[in-house]
Amino acid sequence: MLADTIDHLIELLDEIIENEKNSASPLGYFPALYRKVTIEVRDKIKDDFFDDGARMERLDVGFANRYLAAYHAYKTDDPLTRSWELAFQAGKDSRPIVLQHLFLGMNAHISLDLGITAAEISPGDQIISLQNDFNQINNILSSMVDQVQRELASIWPFLKVIDWLAGKWDEALADFSIDIARDAAWRVAKDLATITDMDQKSQYIHQLDTRVCGFGQKLYQPGRLLNILVWIIRKTERGDVPRRIEQLNT
C-alpha cells in the first residue's frame, strides 16, 4: 500500500479520503489537506521549480510513505510511532476540532517523518545539497495559507472575522509556525544524515518520537482555558464530518 510515484500517492490518498469519509471519520481531514499540498508539489516539479525534480519526487513519495505506513499499521493494529498513534487515536474522540486533527497530523508528519526521510534520501554530505529544495517547500506551504484559511472558514465561519481583524498577522504567524517546524525538521535531517550506527539512529528516532508525541499531547489536550475556546469552536463548526472532509478536499 506504499506509493512509488507522486501520481500513485495521490491515488492512495484518494482511497483513504473516500474510506474515512464513508466512515464519517475525522481521520479524513489530514489526508484531504495533504492531497492538496501533494498536487501543488507535483505541479512545481513539472514546472522545474526545484533544483532536482527527480530527487524532490523521491523525497515527497518517501515522506508520504511514512504516513501511509503509519496509517495502515494503525488500521491493522501493528506497531507504529507514538506520534502517529496519538494522531490516529484522536479520530475516535468527538472532542477535538478540525484544526486539532490537522495539527496532530502535521506534528507527527513534519516534526518526526520529514527529517527522517530527508536523511534517507540524502545521507552523509549529500544532505547539504538538499537544503535549498527543502526550503522551497516552505514557500509552497506559505502560498497556500490563504486557500486553506478559506476552506477552514467554510467549516468555522468565525474564522473570517478573526482573519479580518488580524489582517496579515495571522498569515505571518502561520508562515512563522511552518518555518519553525521545518527548521526543526532540517536539524533532524542533518543529525540523522551523519549517524551511521543503526542502534544510535534508532535511539535518536525513538527519543525524537517521544518529544514529538509530548508536544502532540499539548495540541490534543491544551489545558483548561484553551479547552474553553476549543469547545466554542466545536459548537460553531458547520457540517458533519463527511462534509468537512469534502470542504478540505476541494
Side-chain angles (χ1 to χ4, degrees), residues 16 55 82 97 178 208 247:
I16 293 175
R55 181 183 60 188
R82 293 178 60 192
I97 59 175
I178 290 169
L208 174 64
Q247 293 284 10

Side-chain angles (χ1 to χ4, degrees), residues 141-152:
L141 294 175
S142 296
S143 70
M144 298 180 68
V145 168
D146 283 341
Q147 178 186 359
V148 173
Q149 280 187 335
R150 288 193 298 270
E151 289 158 3
L152 288 173

Side-chain angles (χ1 to χ4, degrees), residues 97 226-236:
I97 59 175
L226 285 178
N227 272 333
I228 295 174
L229 175 60
V230 168
W231 181 85
I232 293 171
I233 295 174
R234 183 169 63 248
K235 291 296 183 181
T236 54

Side-chain angles (χ1 to χ4, degrees), residues 166-200:
K168 291 297 181 181
W169 281 102
D170 54 338
E171 284 87 350
L173 180 60
D175 290 346
F176 179 68
S177 301
I178 290 169
D179 287 346
I180 288 177
R182 293 188 65 87
D183 284 350
W186 179 245
R187 290 194 296 271
V188 168
K190 290 195 296 181
D191 287 346
L192 285 174
T194 62
I195 300 175
T196 56
D197 183 87
M198 294 306 297
D199 289 338
Q200 290 182 8

Side-chain angles (χ1 to χ4, degrees), residues 15-88:
E15 291 179 12
I16 293 175
I17 293 166
E18 191 64 22
N19 288 338
E20 297 303 330
K21 187 170 70 172
N22 291 338
S23 300
S25 167
L27 296 187
Y29 297 148
F30 177 76
L33 179 62
Y34 195 14
R35 180 184 184 276
K36 196 184 311 295
V37 176
T38 300
I39 290 173
E40 187 69 17
V41 171
R42 180 196 62 186
D43 293 345
K44 291 294 188 182
I45 290 173
K46 291 179 179 179
D47 293 339
D48 294 325
F49 179 76
F50 299 102
D51 293 339
D52 188 333
R55 181 183 60 188
M56 180 51 65
E57 179 161 8
R58 293 196 304 273
L59 175 61
D60 193 67
V61 172
F63 180 39
N65 277 338
R66 289 191 62 87
Y67 160 69
L68 295 175
Y71 175 84
H72 290 293
Y74 176 73
K75 290 293 185 177
T76 55
D77 292 324
D78 288 330
L80 70 161
T81 60
R82 293 178 60 192
S83 303
W84 272 120
E85 184 174 16
L86 174 65
F88 293 139

Side-chain angles (χ1 to χ4, degrees), residues 205-220:
I205 292 173
H206 174 75
Q207 292 172 348
L208 174 64
D209 184 31
T210 300
R211 294 196 302 271
V212 174
C213 182
F215 185 72
Q217 289 284 359
K218 295 177 182 178
L219 295 171
Y220 184 32

Side-chain angles (χ1 to χ4, degrees), residues 149-167:
Q149 280 187 335
R150 288 193 298 270
E151 289 158 3
L152 288 173
S154 68
I155 297 170
W156 185 49
F158 287 153
L159 183 61
K160 294 179 182 178
V161 178
I162 294 174
D163 188 39
W164 180 78
L165 291 173

